[in-house]
Amino acid sequence: MIGNEYLQELYKFSDRDTSINQLLEFLRGNDKEFIDSLATSIDLDHCTKEELAYLTIVTALIDYNLQINNLPIPLWIRDSRLNFVKPFFYSSRLNDFEKVRLLYTSPAPFKARNVYFDVAGLHRV
């Protein structure tokens, strides 16, 4: 079990895109309650394989946004278990050229976890 009430609720969403959008709303809005909740460590030993995969994806976004806003990064977010062995591209519509571009141009929090988002797609139009 994830333990953090916000992340647990986001994990339970039936649609991962909706979950990621809600997470980005919390981060872009600098939601104090959400950001403060991240300080509470998550016991990754009690997470399922699916929960760890979800946390790997969202911690890339959390780490990236906390860095941009010069906020402290909780230690559990950088746990070595929160990464993929093979590159994980969030969008399934990427061609090979776009995947290579993301491998080389993505911010460090994405590269560290082997999770790749197109940063331009994370911002509201």
Side-chain angles (χ1 to χ4, degrees), residues 16-17 19-25 27-28 34 38 54-69 73 77 90 107 109-110 113 115-119 121-123:
R16 189 171 13 172
D17 290 339
S19 172
I20 297 295
N21 282 332
Q22 185 60 51
L23 171 69
L24 291 171
E25 286 297 317
L27 293 168
R28 281 191 293 248
F34 173 74
L38 297 174
Y54 178 78
L55 286 172
T56 300
I57 295 165
V58 300
T59 55
L61 294 169
I62 292 169
D63 191 352
Y64 173 71
N65 279 278
L66 292 178
Q67 282 187 46
I68 286 175
N69 292 302
I73 315 292
I77 287 179
Y90 190 76
F110 296 172
R113 290 170 185 82
V115 173
Y116 298 93
F117 289 88
D118 186 349
V119 175
L122 298 177
H123 302 288

Side-chain angles (χ1 to χ4, degrees), residues 61-91:
L61 294 169
I62 292 169
D63 191 352
Y64 173 71
N65 279 278
L66 292 178
Q67 282 187 46
I68 286 175
N69 292 302
N70 294 317
L71 296 169
I73 315 292
L75 292 176
W76 71 268
I77 287 179
R78 296 209 173 139
D79 190 290
S80 62
R81 291 172 282 184
L82 296 175
N83 63 46
F84 292 122
V85 174
K86 295 180 180 180
F88 174 85
F89 297 94
Y90 190 76
S91 175

Side-chain angles (χ1 to χ4, degrees), residues 6-7 23 26-27 31-38 62:
Y6 286 95
L7 295 176
L23 171 69
F26 286 138
L27 293 168
D31 186 288
K32 183 166 175 31
E33 285 184 34
F34 173 74
I35 292 172
D36 288 348
S37 80
L38 297 174
I62 292 169

Side-chain angles (χ1 to χ4, degrees), residues 84-121:
F84 292 122
V85 174
K86 295 180 180 180
F88 174 85
F89 297 94
Y90 190 76
S91 175
S92 59
R93 298 180 191 157
L94 298 173
N95 63 38
D96 289 341
F97 176 77
E98 290 167 320
K99 288 179 180 179
V100 170
R101 178 183 59 81
L102 289 178
L103 287 171
Y104 286 98
T105 62
S106 289
F110 296 172
K111 289 180 180 181
R113 290 170 185 82
N114 226 359
V115 173
Y116 298 93
F117 289 88
D118 186 349
V119 175

